[in-house]
Amino acid sequence: MPDTRYLLLAAAVSAAVNWSLRAAPFTVLASLRANKTLQYLSATMPPGIMVILLVYCLRDLPLTQAHAIAPLAALAATVGLHLWRRNALLSILGGTTVHVALASTVFAS
């Protein structure tokens, strides 16, 4: 059985490492908040990532076949809901609902 002092020291070291690892991001982020590059990236990356996801998801969509209507209708619903309400959650849920409803009922293979 290990010595009591050894166990207490091991617990103290574990607690110190755990606390340090949890506090480190907050101390690092405080100095990065004023960085112009990060401010630019935080403003431009979300739309850029959405465009990349859109191209990736629709790249192999056969536009000449009938089952392409479900994703295109879901895309139109998502864009329309977002332009109408400016609510990302509503847009995502609405587009998903349209796609699932069309793909599982009307255009089921």
Side-chain angles (χ1 to χ4, degrees):
M1 186 89 185
D3 186 23
T4 305
R5 268 188 310 167
Y6 177 78
L7 292 175
L8 290 174
L9 183 61
V13 168
S14 297
V17 168
N18 190 359
W19 184 86
S20 299
L21 288 175
R22 289 175 183 251
F26 295 104
T27 58
V28 171
L29 285 178
S31 64
L32 293 177
R33 281 191 174 51
N35 189 329
K36 295 290 184 193
T37 304
L38 286 179
Q39 289 175 356
Y40 170 76
L41 288 176
S42 70
T44 58
M45 278 190 68
I49 290 172
M50 296 310 286
V51 168
I52 290 170
L53 285 173
L54 174 72
V55 169
Y56 177 78
C57 290
L58 298 179
R59 75 183 190 284
D60 293 329
L61 189 66
L63 297 176
T64 59
Q65 297 178 2
H67 68 271
I69 295 173
L72 294 176
L75 175 64
T78 303
V79 170
L81 282 170
H82 193 71
L83 291 175
W84 176 50
R85 301 298 292 187
R86 299 281 182 200
N87 185 334
L89 183 61
L90 176 67
S91 304
I92 292 168
L93 289 176
T96 302
T97 303
V98 168
H99 184 269
V100 168
L102 290 176
S104 65
T105 58
V106 178
F107 299 104
S109 316

